[in-house]
Coordinates of all heavy atoms in Angstrom, one line a residue:
E19 N 1.9 -17.1 19.6 CA 3.1 -17.9 19.5 C 3.7 -17.9 18.1 O 4.9 -17.7 17.9 CB 2.7 -19.4 19.8 CG 3.8 -20.4 19.8 CD 3.4 -21.8 20.1 OE1 2.3 -21.9 20.7 OE2 4.1 -22.7 19.7
K25 N 7.8 -16.2 14.4 CA 8.2 -15.4 13.1 C 8.6 -14.0 13.4 O 9.2 -13.4 12.6 CB 7.0 -15.5 12.2 CG 6.6 -16.9 11.8 CD 5.5 -16.9 10.7 CE 6.0 -16.5 9.4 NZ 5.0 -16.6 8.3
G44 N -16.8 -12.1 11.6 CA -18.0 -11.3 11.5 C -18.9 -11.8 10.4 O -20.2 -11.8 10.5
G51 N -25.1 -17.1 11.5 CA -25.6 -17.0 12.9 C -24.7 -17.7 13.8 O -25.1 -18.1 14.9
C55 N -17.0 -17.4 19.3 CA -16.5 -18.3 20.3 C -17.0 -19.7 20.0 O -16.5 -20.7 20.6 CB -16.8 -17.9 21.7 SG -18.6 -17.9 22.0
V68 N -14.4 -19.1 0.2 CA -14.6 -18.5 -1.1 C -15.8 -17.5 -1.0 O -15.8 -16.4 -1.6 CB -14.8 -19.6 -2.2 CG1 -15.3 -18.9 -3.5 CG2 -13.6 -20.4 -2.4
A82 N -9.0 -6.7 -6.0 CA -8.4 -8.0 -6.0 C -7.2 -8.0 -5.1 O -6.9 -9.1 -4.5 CB -8.0 -8.4 -7.4
R93 N -4.7 -18.2 4.8 CA -3.8 -19.3 4.4 C -2.8 -19.5 5.5 O -2.4 -20.7 5.9 CB -3.1 -19.0 3.1 CG -3.9 -19.3 1.9 CD -3.1 -19.0 0.6 NE -3.7 -19.4 -0.6 CZ -3.2 -19.1 -1.8 NH1 -2.0 -18.5 -1.9 NH2 -3.8 -19.5 -2.9
A107 N -7.0 -32.5 8.1 CA -6.1 -32.2 7.0 C -6.7 -32.0 5.7 O -6.3 -31.2 4.9 CB -5.0 -33.4 6.9
L114 N -6.3 -24.3 1.6 CA -4.9 -23.8 1.2 C -4.8 -23.8 -0.4 O -4.0 -23.1 -0.9 CB -3.8 -24.7 1.8 CG -3.7 -24.6 3.3 CD1 -2.6 -25.6 3.8 CD2 -3.3 -23.2 3.7
K119 N -6.6 -14.3 -6.7 CA -7.3 -13.7 -7.9 C -6.3 -12.9 -8.7 O -5.6 -12.0 -8.2 CB -8.5 -12.9 -7.5 CG -9.4 -12.5 -8.6 CD -10.7 -12.0 -8.1 CE -11.7 -11.8 -9.2 NZ -13.0 -11.3 -8.7
I125 N -1.3 1.4 -15.0 CA -0.2 2.3 -14.9 C -0.2 3.0 -13.6 O -1.3 3.4 -13.1 CB -0.2 3.4 -16.1 CG1 0.0 2.7 -17.4 CG2 0.9 4.5 -15.9 CD1 -0.1 3.6 -18.6
T199 N 14.8 17.9 1.5 CA 15.2 19.1 0.8 C 15.1 20.3 1.7 O 14.5 20.3 2.8 CB 14.3 19.3 -0.5 OG1 12.9 19.6 0.0 CG2 14.3 18.1 -1.4
V205 N 9.6 23.9 6.1 CA 8.2 23.6 6.5 C 8.2 22.8 7.8 O 7.4 23.1 8.8 CB 7.5 22.8 5.4 CG1 6.1 22.4 5.9 CG2 7.3 23.7 4.2
D211 N 8.4 23.9 15.7 CA 8.3 25.0 16.6 C 6.9 25.1 17.2 O 6.8 25.5 18.4 CB 8.8 26.3 15.9 CG 10.3 26.3 15.6 OD1 11.0 25.5 16.2 OD2 10.7 27.1 14.7
A248 N -10.4 22.9 -8.1 CA -10.7 24.2 -8.6 C -9.5 25.0 -9.1 O -9.6 25.8 -10.0 CB -11.4 25.0 -7.5
M253 N -6.7 17.4 -11.9 CA -6.8 16.4 -10.8 C -8.2 15.8 -10.8 O -8.4 14.8 -10.1 CB -6.5 17.1 -9.5 CG -5.1 17.6 -9.3 SD -4.8 18.3 -7.7 CE -5.0 16.9 -6.6
R257 N -7.7 9.7 -9.2 CA -8.1 9.2 -7.9 C -6.9 9.4 -7.0 O -5.8 8.9 -7.2 CB -8.5 7.8 -7.9 CG -8.9 7.2 -6.6 CD -9.4 5.8 -6.7 NE -9.7 5.2 -5.4 CZ -8.9 4.5 -4.7 NH1 -7.6 4.3 -5.1 NH2 -9.2 4.0 -3.5
G275 N 16.3 11.5 -13.3 CA 17.4 10.7 -13.8 C 18.0 9.8 -12.7 O 19.1 9.2 -12.9
V280 N 18.5 3.0 -6.8 CA 18.5 4.1 -5.7 C 17.0 4.4 -5.3 O 16.8 4.6 -4.1 CB 19.2 5.3 -6.2 CG1 19.1 6.4 -5.1 CG2 20.6 5.0 -6.6
W284 N 15.3 4.2 -1.6 CA 14.6 5.4 -1.1 C 13.2 5.0 -0.6 O 12.8 5.5 0.5 CB 14.4 6.4 -2.3 CG 13.9 7.7 -1.9 CD1 12.6 8.0 -1.6 CD2 14.6 9.0 -1.8 NE1 12.5 9.4 -1.3 CE2 13.7 10.0 -1.5 CE3 15.9 9.3 -2.1 CZ2 14.0 11.3 -1.3 CZ3 16.3 10.7 -2.0 CH2 15.4 11.6 -1.6
L285 N 12.5 4.1 -1.3 CA 11.1 3.8 -1.0 C 11.1 2.6 0.0 O 10.0 2.3 0.5 CB 10.3 3.4 -2.2 CG 10.2 4.5 -3.3 CD1 9.4 3.9 -4.5 CD2 9.4 5.7 -2.7
R291 N 12.6 -5.1 -8.5 CA 11.5 -5.3 -9.4 C 10.3 -4.6 -9.1 O 9.5 -4.2 -10.0 CB 11.3 -6.8 -9.6 CG 12.4 -7.5 -10.3 CD 12.1 -9.0 -10.4 NE 12.1 -9.6 -9.1 CZ 11.9 -10.9 -8.8 NH1 11.7 -11.7 -9.8 NH2 11.9 -11.4 -7.6
L297 N 8.7 2.8 -14.3 CA 9.2 2.9 -15.6 C 8.1 2.9 -16.6 O 8.1 3.6 -17.7 CB 10.2 1.9 -15.9 CG 11.5 1.9 -15.1 CD1 12.4 0.7 -15.4 CD2 12.3 3.2 -15.4
S306 N 12.1 9.9 -24.9 CA 13.6 10.1 -25.1 C 14.3 8.9 -25.7 O 15.2 9.1 -26.5 CB 14.2 10.4 -23.8 OG 14.2 9.3 -22.9
L327 N 4.3 -19.7 -53.3 CA 4.0 -20.6 -52.2 C 3.9 -19.8 -50.9 O 3.0 -20.1 -50.1 CB 5.0 -21.7 -52.2 CG 4.7 -22.8 -51.0 CD1 3.4 -23.4 -51.2 CD2 5.8 -23.8 -51.0
F330 N 0.8 -17.9 -50.7 CA -0.3 -18.8 -50.3 C -0.4 -19.0 -48.8 O -1.4 -18.9 -48.1 CB -0.2 -20.2 -51.0 CG -1.1 -21.2 -50.4 CD1 -2.5 -21.2 -50.6 CD2 -0.6 -22.2 -49.6 CE1 -3.3 -22.2 -50.1 CE2 -1.4 -23.2 -49.1 CZ -2.8 -23.2 -49.3

Side-chain angles (χ1 to χ4, degrees):
E19 180 182 340
K25 301 185 72 173
C55 63
V68 170
R93 279 180 173 176
L114 294 176
K119 191 169 187 177
I125 295 177
T199 64
V205 173
D211 290 342
M253 294 185 67
R257 179 175 175 270
V280 178
W284 188 288
L285 298 179
R291 287 178 296 182
L297 296 173
S306 62
L327 179 58
F330 166 75

